[in-house]
Amino acid sequence: MPHANARLSVVEKPLAEPSPAAEVVVLKFGSSILQDQSCAPAVASEVYGHVRAGRKVIAVVSALGGHTDRLLADARTLGLDHENDLLPAYVALGEEKAAALVAIACDRIGLDAAALSVRELGIVAEGPSEHAHPVSLRSDALWKALADHQVVVVPGFGALGPRGRVVLLGRGGSDLTAVFLAAELGLDRVRLVKDVDGLYDRDPASASGKPLRYRRASWDDARRHGGALVQHDAIDLGQQRAVEIEVAALGRADCTIVGDHSAPPGPSVPDAPLKVAIAGCGVVGGGLLQRLQKDSRFEVVGVLVRDPAKPRDVEAPVELFTADREALLDLQPDILLEALSEGGAGHDLIRAALERGIDVASANKQAISRDPAGLADAARVHGAQLAYSAAVGGGAPMIETLRAAKAAGPVKGFEAVLNGTVNFMLTRIQAGADFADALADARVAGFAEEDPSSDLEGRDSAAKVRLLAFEAFGRTPAEADVPCAVLSEAFKPAGPVRQIGACVRAGDGLKASVSLDVGLDDPFFQSLEGERNGLKVYGEDGRIWSCKGRGAGRWPTTESVLADLADIVRARHASLGHH
């Protein structure tokens, strides 16, 4: 095995070929979704699910609810009635503000996001200043942002007129922005996220009788029944440019596809809320509780904690909390979200839940890495689902990246920055802080536990190496076979340094380690500052797959658990024959 300051040699020579190009999707979020700034995290969740699946996202956003009307009223009060060409530039600020807020929410959960202005986006439109029609796209900023970032958030509704002034694309014009961008990107579909799960034959909110939902609707049916749900200019452009329009709800797989053909509408039965139990109410469990209490798709039925009477930073009914594991499982939750801080208790709880047929999503790497094959077998035998992406990498989709690499061919090995707390501390130490100050700063930032020994001794990263090895090679090196370098006050790096966890095939066996790599010369790992994590997977065919994201803190890990939850829900729907 290598010495403490050298990582395993995964490749004999540098490989220049980048990861496979990501698919691009265009999503649009209207004011019915972005009612106020508190809704931005839910939009970020929707975006995260696509990024985790390996896609890049252009997110088109409307202004926050009611904001456009207020801005229009301001501009009309102060402007001329007969000629007010400066009004659009003021009104479009609403969409630009929303784009910035959504990008900030994406950044909090670890997504690499950028927000553009109307001018940077560069849609050129002709016609009346308040109801223009897009004709071309000239935007180096958009292409550069898309190349450099996972997510590009752009304002809808606004464009540039022939003379360079901002113009508007008519009410509901963010739909048109999204369809136009999809067409210009050469995509055959765009997804408009609304407050309903599709197009109905009558208004579900006010119609008498039972509204029927279209699974597929023709362009004419969409014009006839869409009302104000989808802007008619957007429908016209979709038909002209052969871009199908998905009309969908937040967090739902079901949608209406608007295109050349219709299918008869049918009844849409709303799903009953799924019963969710949460184990742990610390950094991650508390984040899950805070998010799920606001989500009508789920009912939190219980939260397992050591001391139910202890004050917490998340408001919740006291009767939700219990210290009794069996009492929690007796509530018969559909899904358990496990975020305990202790490996043994977490492993036992996960196994007990799976044996009752309860689906499980876990953020507990110590629990899962004890016996990932055994837990997977228990899930299979009892017809339950087990997901644990959140156990590795926080907001960085490492499990998904490794699975994608393995699907493309045999994996030779991987190396990764796997501990956000240690990376945060090393970044501070490299900047001149001493060990004690770096640890104190990590605690203040909410990354380091009161007892940080698992992080500092490399055991946290070693558990993640073992989990990734299981995904890569179908087997797990023993704990004793993963030597770990310790970060202590005695460590005085002379140059760039990262804690690197690695595993590589070695004949018929595996060679794994967690090392402090001094003099690091890999630009990818050098770019991971603060609490960021990153993974490189090396294929036997020479291809390299990579991902990165925030690896510590409440929100990145919470988001990863929520994405696992969304995957479980989709699989449940598929097993029941939902479309």
Side-chain angles (χ1 to χ4, degrees):
M1 297 298 293
H3 62 79
N5 287 344
R7 69 178 186 270
L8 294 172
S9 178
V10 179
V11 286
E12 286 76 28
K13 61 183 185 298
L15 295 173
E17 185 175 335
S19 298
E23 173 191 356
V24 178
V25 295
V26 176
L27 310 175
K28 179 262 177 176
F29 301 93
S31 297
S32 62
I33 299 298
L34 282 165
Q35 296 176 23
D36 56 47
Q37 66 187 47
S38 71
C39 301
V43 171
S45 287
E46 189 85 2
V47 170
Y48 180 87
H50 287 272
V51 172
R52 196 170 88 153
R55 307 179 189 110
K56 289 200 171 192
V57 175
I58 296 177
V60 180
V61 299
S62 299
L64 302 180
H67 206 57
T68 296
D69 288 335
R70 290 195 292 274
L71 293 173
L72 278 167
D74 289 347
R76 285 174 176 153
T77 298
L78 295 172
L80 293 168
D81 291 333
H82 64 283
E83 185 181 354
N84 201 350
D85 289 344
L86 298 178
L87 172 149
Y90 179 68
V91 174
L93 294 175
E95 277 70 18
E96 292 185 346
K97 174 184 175 182
L101 283 172
V102 168
I104 288 168
C106 287
D107 176 73
R108 181 175 77 160
I109 63 175
L111 293 172
D112 183 6
L116 302 185
S117 67
V118 170
R119 291 190 178 280
E120 288 170 327
L121 179 56
I123 294 176
V124 178
E126 296 177 348
S129 64
E130 292 185 42
H131 200 144
H133 190 79
V135 294
S136 65
L137 177 66
R138 51 171 190 258
S139 177
D140 292 339
L142 176 61
W143 308 130
K144 185 176 188 312
L146 200 55
D148 293 347
H149 302 280
Q150 296 169 318
V151 182
V152 185
V153 190
V154 303
F157 194 33
L160 298 176
R163 293 184 295 159
R165 281 186 173 176
V166 174
V167 296
L168 303 177
L169 303 180
R171 293 311 295 257
S174 293
D175 290 347
L176 184 56
T177 303
V179 174
F180 181 73
L181 288 175
E184 290 294 306
L185 285 165
L187 306 179
D188 57 11
R189 189 170 288 190
V190 62
R191 191 171 182 89
L192 310 183
V193 183
K194 307 281 186 175
D195 59 352
V196 291
D197 60 351
L199 183 67
Y200 285 75
D201 66 347
R202 67 202 85 172
D203 186 348
S206 59
S208 58
K210 185 71 175 175
L212 301 177
R213 182 170 65 84
Y214 285 92
R215 187 173 55 82
R216 279 194 164 271
S218 69
W219 304 110
D220 286 339
D221 281 336
R223 293 184 189 96
R224 190 178 305 116
H225 298 297
L229 185 64
V230 182
Q231 190 204 45
H232 282 210
D233 289 355
I235 296 172
D236 293 343
L237 185 68
Q239 184 174 15
Q240 292 162 14
R241 301 287 296 269
V243 177
E244 290 187 327
I245 299 172
E246 293 180 350
V247 181
L250 202 64
R252 300 290 290 270
D254 292 349
C255 67
T256 296
I257 300 171
V258 179
D260 289 335
H261 307 290
S262 258
S268 175
V269 181
D271 297 318
L274 287 171
K275 293 163 64 177
V276 176
I278 300 173
C281 197
V283 172
V284 178
L288 291 167
L289 180 58
Q290 184 172 322
R291 286 292 302 276
L292 291 178
Q293 285 189 114
K294 301 174 182 177
D295 194 325
S296 61
R297 295 172 297 159
F298 303 101
E299 177 193 359
V300 179
V301 295
V303 183
L304 182 67
V305 292
R306 284 197 187 93
D307 179 6
K310 176 183 173 181
R312 306 183 190 282
D313 65 351
V314 179
E315 289 186 19
V318 68
E319 58 269 19
L320 277 183
F321 297 97
T322 179
D324 186 334
R325 185 188 86 175
E326 293 304 313
L328 184 80
L329 297 180
D330 285 344
L331 294 168
Q332 299 182 314
D334 297 300
I335 302 168
L336 169 70
L337 304 182
E338 190 273 324
L340 296 175
S341 58
E342 205 274 313
H347 179 270
D348 293 346
L349 176 61
I350 292 167
R351 179 171 283 281
L354 294 173
E355 289 174 350
R356 292 191 185 208
I358 298 168
D359 295 332
V360 177
S362 173
N364 189 339
K365 60 269 177 184
Q366 300 290 356
I368 299 291
S369 66
R370 284 180 175 232
D371 183 18
L375 292 176
D377 287 342
R380 193 162 40 248
V381 167
H382 296 281
Q385 299 179 74
L386 172 63
Y388 49 80
S389 292
V392 185
M398 293 189 178
I399 297 288
E400 288 73 23
T401 300
L402 220 163
R403 288 174 180 169
K406 190 176 178 182
V411 169
K412 181 176 184 178
F414 63 82
E415 52 189 353
V417 168
L418 292 166
N419 186 283
T421 302
V422 169
N423 206 57
F424 179 90
M425 289 180 62
L426 289 174
T427 303
R428 295 284 294 113
I429 289 169
Q430 199 176 317
D434 62 25
F435 177 89
D437 283 344
L439 178 57
D441 290 346
R443 283 198 174 111
V444 169
F447 303 144
E449 302 285 350
E450 277 307 305
D451 177 7
S453 57
S454 178
D455 297 328
L456 301 178
E457 293 170 8
R459 288 182 282 117
D460 176 88
S461 288
K464 295 170 183 175
V465 167
R466 296 175 70 235
L467 259 181
L468 289 173
F470 176 72
E471 291 290 338
F473 309 114
R475 52 206 166 108
T476 304
E479 277 187 73
D481 292 336
V482 188
C484 300
V486 177
L487 176 60
S488 68
E489 292 190 60
F491 181 69
K492 307 290 183 185
V497 58
R498 294 289 182 267
Q499 184 197 65
I500 302 288
C503 187
V504 62
R505 287 187 193 274
D508 293 333
L510 300 176
K511 190 178 285 187
S513 72
V514 175
S515 59
L516 291 169
D517 191 355
V518 180
L520 186 74
D521 59 359
D522 187 319
F524 176 78
F525 290 120
Q526 282 185 350
S527 73
L528 303 175
E529 297 189 337
E531 74 277 20
R532 287 171 177 80
N533 282 189
L535 167 74
K536 275 184 155 182
V537 183
Y538 301 92
E540 294 280 8
D541 62 2
R543 281 189 289 177
I544 301 175
W545 304 69
S546 64
C547 68
K548 57 185 176 180
R550 295 192 190 277
R554 167 168 283 179
W555 299 117
T557 311
T558 294
E559 204 57 54
S560 191
V561 179
L562 291 175
D564 275 345
L565 174 59
D567 287 346
I568 288 171
V569 171
R570 275 191 290 272
R572 290 174 69 97
H573 283 183
S575 69
L576 295 171
H578 292 189
H579 297 290

